[in-house]
């Protein structure tokens, strides 16, 4: 059981951290004194005092502001020296999402989370489970003449993701598979041969890779989810169409993980049922 800090240990911690922040920042005592609007003697006393006395709150706050650290860190109340604004900035980022199979940013997040459970609500069928013909049909119009080269390059990354040792839980809305099978909505115009081959691949992979790969289907009329990938306890990334919004703070990741787990818990079809469902629906492909 950890002991509560005494006034003396709190004061000692403050002096050590203030000295460390001064050293790390390269700011002199004189410059800091000018920056906080105090006499140099006041600052010298704060650094050299061996008793329990601490400077006033306004002095501690001013020191923290000039040195670019948080008051809580100076006082030993936090192990993170960043200010609240910096912590918030580091916990959230927005990055460009190019129209590609596996862009560099997504691949880097997968490598960072290798070995963790990855929870995923894709915008369409999961890219890592698609046939080459399906990828060409879907991404060809956006990649132009480089479609073949881009798909070949991305296949290596897709294969790495399949073999990285991560456990995948994927949640799909019911309408996604139905639209794919019937070639409606997003999949309008998708040739019969591609749909049959893609269905066969989904059946084979979900049987071969179970339980490391589990796909569930939820009713979007009861539950909704934006496209999101949760990389273990590390980060949660939402796909907005043109950008990714990535969250790294623990509480938000736990909230989004709980939302995803609700999709799995209340799924209309479980991962064990998914291959059988696809086998039955395959007869509808015309």
């Amino acid at each position: 059981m950890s002991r509560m800090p005494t006034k003396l240990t709190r004061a000692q911690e403050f002096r050590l951290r203030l000295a460390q922040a001064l050293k790390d920042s390269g700011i002199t005592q004189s410059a800091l004194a000018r920056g906080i609007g105090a006499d140099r003697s006041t600052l010298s006393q704060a650094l050299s005092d061996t008793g329990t006395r601490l400077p006033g709150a306004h002095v501690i706050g001013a020191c923290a502001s000039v040195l670019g650290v948080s008051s809580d860190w100076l006082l030993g109340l936090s192990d993170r020296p960043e200010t609240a604004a910096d912590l918030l900035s580091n916990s959230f980022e927005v990055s460009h999402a190019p129209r590609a199979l596996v862009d560099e940013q997504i691949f880097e997040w997968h490598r960072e989370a290798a070995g963790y459970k990855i929870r995923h609500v894709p915008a369409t069928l999961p890219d890592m489970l698609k046939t080459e013909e399906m990828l060409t049909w879907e991404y060809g119009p956006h990649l132009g003449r480089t479609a073949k080269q881009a798909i070949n390059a991305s296949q290596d990354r897709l294969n790495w993701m399949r073999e990285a040792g991560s456990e995948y839980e994927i949640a799909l809305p019911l309408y996604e598979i139905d639209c794919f099978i019937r070639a409606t909505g997003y999949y309008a115009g998708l040739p019969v041969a591609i749909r049959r081959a893609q269905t066969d691949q989904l059946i084979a992979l979900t049987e071969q890779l179970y339980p490391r790969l589990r796909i569930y289907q939820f009713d979007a009329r009861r539950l909704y989810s934006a496209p999101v990938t949760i990389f273990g306890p590390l980060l949660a990334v939402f796909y907005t169409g043109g950008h990714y919004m990535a969250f790294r703070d623990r509480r938000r990741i736990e909230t989004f993980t709980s939302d995803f787990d609700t999709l799995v818990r209340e799924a209309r079809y479980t991962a064990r049922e998914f291959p059988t469902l696809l086998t039955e629906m395959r007869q509808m492909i015309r």
Side-chain angles (χ1 to χ4, degrees):
M1 183 175 178
S2 60
R3 299 175 58 186
M4 291 293 291
T6 65
K7 289 183 178 179
L8 179 59
T9 58
R10 180 79 74 202
Q12 290 172 337
E13 184 73 16
F14 168 77
R15 289 190 287 273
L16 286 172
R17 292 194 173 191
L18 180 59
Q20 179 183 334
L22 270 169
K23 180 181 178 181
D24 293 345
S25 68
I27 296 175
T28 64
Q29 288 189 35
S30 297
L32 178 59
R34 289 194 299 272
I36 66 176
D39 294 333
R40 183 176 176 181
S41 59
T42 300
L43 187 59
S44 295
Q45 183 177 6
L47 285 164
S48 61
D49 197 336
T50 58
T52 61
R53 187 176 174 216
L54 283 169
H58 68 287
V59 173
I60 295 174
C63 287
S65 178
V66 172
L67 296 171
V69 296
S70 70
S71 297
D72 282 353
W73 180 77
L74 283 178
L75 291 169
L77 300 175
S78 169
D79 291 329
R80 300 290 299 270
E82 301 98 324
T83 64
D86 287 337
L87 285 171
L88 179 60
S89 176
N90 293 336
S91 71
F92 175 73
E93 62 182 281
V94 177
S95 56
H96 179 59
R99 181 62 172 165
L101 283 72
V102 187
D103 62 74
E104 192 61 41
Q105 180 62 82
I106 281 286
F107 190 51
E108 182 58 37
W109 285 328
H110 274 272
R111 286 188 292 191
E112 182 182 349
Y116 285 109
K117 177 191 284 190
I118 296 176
R119 298 167 170 90
H120 184 40
V121 180
T124 62
L125 296 180
D127 280 346
M128 63 185 294
L129 304 180
K130 290 173 181 173
T131 65
E132 182 176 333
E133 292 74 21
M134 179 74 188
L135 292 169
T136 301
W137 177 85
E138 188 169 4
Y139 290 98
H142 306 278
L143 300 175
R145 295 181 180 178
T146 63
K148 184 66 175 179
Q149 297 95 309
I151 288 170
N152 287 342
S154 292
Q155 282 290 359
D156 292 336
R157 295 181 177 184
L158 294 171
N159 290 335
W160 183 93
M161 288 160 60
R162 289 177 186 166
E163 300 169 2
S166 294
E167 178 183 344
Y168 284 86
E169 277 191 340
I170 298 173
L172 290 170
L174 289 169
Y175 65 76
E176 193 68 41
I177 293 295
D178 189 73
C179 288
F180 163 71
I181 292 290
R182 300 176 186 274
T184 60
Y186 178 84
Y187 303 97
L190 182 58
V192 168
I194 293 180
R195 281 182 283 147
R196 284 179 176 157
Q198 179 62 71
T199 302
D200 291 341
Q201 175 148 308
L202 285 173
I203 293 170
L205 290 176
T206 50
E207 288 179 337
Q208 294 168 9
L209 300 180
Y210 182 89
R212 191 165 67 84
L213 168 67
R214 302 188 297 278
I215 299 181
Y216 301 82
Q217 283 200 282
F218 63 92
D219 187 348
R221 289 177 298 180
R222 293 184 57 251
L223 300 166
Y224 171 76
S225 175
V228 61
T229 305
I230 304 168
F231 296 88
L234 304 180
L235 74 160
V237 180
F238 286 86
Y239 175 59
T240 67
H243 291 83
Y244 300 119
M245 296 191 305
F247 299 86
R248 287 188 177 273
D249 55 303
R250 179 176 56 83
R251 289 187 178 180
R252 282 178 177 162
I253 294 172
E254 289 176 350
T255 297
F256 300 142
T257 298
S258 177
D259 289 344
F260 181 93
D261 289 346
T262 298
L263 298 178
V264 171
R265 187 169 55 252
E266 300 193 17
R268 178 74 64 84
Y269 297 101
T270 68
R272 284 187 177 275
E273 297 169 323
F274 189 69
T276 301
L277 173 67
L278 282 178
T279 299
E280 294 173 354
M281 294 186 72
R282 189 183 187 282
Q283 302 174 34
M284 300 165 52
I285 299 177
R286 292 182 176 82

